[in-house]
Amino acid sequence: MRQSRRGQVDPFIVMDVMEAARKAEAEGRRIIHMEVGQPSTPAPQAARRALAAALDRPLGYTVALGLPELRRGIAGLYKRWYGLDLDPARVVVTPGSSGAFILAFSALFDAGERVALGEPGYPSYRQILRAMSLTPVGIPTRPQDRYQPRPDDLPTDAQGLILASPGNPSGTVLRREELAALTARAAELGMNVISDEIYHGLDYGAGFHSALEVTDEVFVINSFSKYFSMTGWRVGWMVVPDGMIRTVERIAQNMFICPPHASQVAALAALDCVDEAEANLAVYAENRRLMLERLPQMGFDRIAPPEGAFYIYADVSGLTTDSLSFAAEILEKAGVAVTPGLDFDPHRGARTLRFSYAAATAEIAEGLDRLAAFMAAR
Ligand SMILES: Cc1ncc(COP(=O)(O)O)c(C=O)c1O
């Protein structure tokens, strides 16, 4: 069968690493997972209970933009987190933030247009853009800028810009004034801005700011996947400017009909589960402390300041020029799965690795012991 050119996207390497780890586990090995970017905890208890109580209801289609009470609840989160009064009409519930990207790109760009993004960055931005006949334009960022773009780095010939704070893989956070400067420069250049805020809530003292604090002319994307520990539930959201609501609604009606109803019921209850979410955060904070104490001792000492999310991005150019085979060697010899930087940066990622510390603390501690033994024997 003839295949489309736009369908020829690159694999998501971390998914391939997960598959290699799964095979090793099927052969009876115990693998420590530092590759996956997801909590190992279940959805908050009240979320699971809310779903259980709803199971005898029809759980049919909802309206395309999501349950009105959930949209109101999400708007309330903007008050809680940022002190913003957000009109719930601007909140669009989506099938994960991944679904939000598809809606945003469809609403904002025409085929052939160019969308800029920082490198290193979340790999699927680039691949979703390509699958939609859009052209990703990488902005190489610098370690001294915490791997975030500067306003004068923005290309003058692109129609869009994706910002991410905290970033994946870097974990670094854009300050409020940096968000203001970047969005102002993008507006000067006529670029539509999409701000990926999926790791908000997961910060270790640096705080976090929404692009909505500095402009309403932005698509803000977030999700229940990370802070609320609900990756597999596939429920996220997007905040759009007033004038875009109807356009996004029409696309959402046709592309998805609605986000999963069952997950929306659970997500609504999750919004109130602050204690559980904060308990998970305390675990990540301890994991992060262990990582920052021990990784440099074993030679992984060139790392981006991990201000948020649950990742450490390490420059391993002193150790290898081939992060793919280095990660494969670590999996083979240490039984620790880590992600090669090539997933995040097609140019410089052969010299970087990402370590995730989203697992339980005992797992992270054992992973660090194994990594230390591996590095000592090298
Ligand atoms: C930066 C970033 N954005 C978006 C996503 C997609 O998340 P989801 O579709 O589960 O909301 C991820 C997943 O790891 C991510 O790291």
Side-chain angles (χ1 to χ4, degrees):
M1 197 176 275
R2 198 187 69 82
Q3 294 198 14
S4 68
R5 277 194 305 279
R6 67 179 182 178
Q8 304 307 306
V9 302
D10 297 336
F12 196 171
I13 297 173
V14 70
M15 305 303 273
D16 290 349
V17 175
M18 280 165 75
E19 177 53 17
R22 191 201 57 77
K23 274 200 189 122
E25 281 166 339
E27 285 158 14
R29 292 190 64 195
R30 199 171 106 69
I31 303 298
I32 303 291
H33 292 274
M34 289 192 180
E35 84 285 30
V36 281
Q38 67 173 340
S40 59
T41 42
Q45 196 178 55
R48 286 175 274 139
R49 292 226 168 108
L51 175 60
L55 280 178
D56 290 331
R57 301 211 313 253
L59 293 178
Y61 298 135
T62 67
V63 287
L65 296 182
L67 294 172
E69 56 274 39
L70 178 57
R71 295 168 71 200
R72 277 197 298 276
I74 292 168
L77 195 62
Y78 283 78
K79 185 79 181 170
R80 193 157 97 199
W81 277 357
Y82 317 104
L84 292 176
D85 287 313
L86 177 66
D87 180 357
R90 292 176 56 196
V91 177
V92 179
V93 184
T94 58
S97 72
S98 304
F101 287 113
I102 294 170
L103 287 174
F105 297 164
S106 308
L108 294 172
F109 307 116
D110 283 311
E113 290 193 325
R114 296 160 62 79
V115 180
L117 35 89
E119 285 173 353
Y122 177 58
S124 301
Y125 303 143
R126 194 179 293 116
Q127 310 307 338
I128 299 172
L129 288 168
R130 284 168 57 188
M132 298 182 77
S133 300
L134 297 165
T135 305
V137 182
I139 304 173
T141 61
R142 311 160 190 82
Q144 61 269 33
D145 295 331
R146 307 187 319 280
Y147 292 109
Q148 293 283 359
R150 297 178 189 170
D152 54 12
D153 289 336
L154 304 191
T156 52
D157 60 348
Q159 287 70 42
L161 171 68
I162 302 175
L163 298 175
S165 170
N168 173 9
S170 66
T172 65
V173 169
L174 283 169
R175 315 285 181 252
R176 195 179 199 278
E177 58 279 11
E178 291 171 328
L179 279 168
L182 283 161
T183 51
R185 178 69 183 143
E188 266 170 33
L189 295 170
M191 300 166 108
N192 288 326
V193 180
I194 296 153
S195 178
D196 183 349
E197 305 185 352
I198 182 173
Y199 292 102
H200 278 208
L202 301 178
D203 88 288
Y204 308 98
F208 53 93
H209 289 282
S210 172
L212 284 173
E213 293 176 56
V214 297
T215 179
D216 279 319
E217 287 303 299
V218 62
F219 272 46
V220 164
I221 289 180
N222 207 322
S223 174
F224 284 89
S225 287
K226 311 289 173 160
Y227 178 72
F228 293 102
S229 187
M230 294 176 67
T231 48
W233 297 68
R234 311 310 304 135
V235 57
W237 73 86
M238 180 159 80
V239 180
V240 304
D242 271 331
M244 296 296 297
I245 300 169
R246 184 62 185 148
T247 299
V248 171
E249 182 175 31
R250 287 191 307 243
I251 302 170
Q253 289 167 339
N254 286 287
M255 279 198 177
F256 302 121
I257 301 187
C258 67
H261 190 163
S263 301
Q264 293 188 67
V265 169
L268 176 60
L271 283 171
D272 292 327
C273 299
V274 178
D275 290 351
E276 268 176 85
E278 291 296 314
N280 292 341
L281 177 61
V283 172
Y284 306 143
E286 172 59 8
N287 295 352
R288 175 178 175 275
R289 191 192 65 73
L290 285 175
M291 300 284 269
L292 288 178
E293 181 182 288
R294 299 200 49 203
L295 285 178
Q297 290 168 357
M298 54 182 99
F300 299 109
D301 52 0
R302 295 166 68 184
I303 57 185
E307 297 167 321
F310 31 52
Y311 306 117
I312 290 194
Y313 193 55
D315 176 340
V316 290
S317 52
L319 302 166
T320 185
T321 52
D322 180 357
S323 60
L324 263 183
S325 36
F326 192 43
E329 188 188 343
I330 294 174
L331 180 62
E332 168 62 27
K333 297 195 176 144
V336 179
V338 299
T339 307
L342 280 172
D343 233 357
F344 313 102
D345 188 332
H347 303 109
R348 298 170 297 174
R351 294 157 189 267
T352 55
L353 288 181
R354 186 193 73 176
F355 300 89
S356 164
Y357 53 87
T361 303
E363 291 280 299
I364 296 297
E366 181 174 347
L368 286 167
D369 287 345
R370 291 185 185 195
L371 282 173
F374 165 80
M375 292 299 283
R378 237 176 148 243

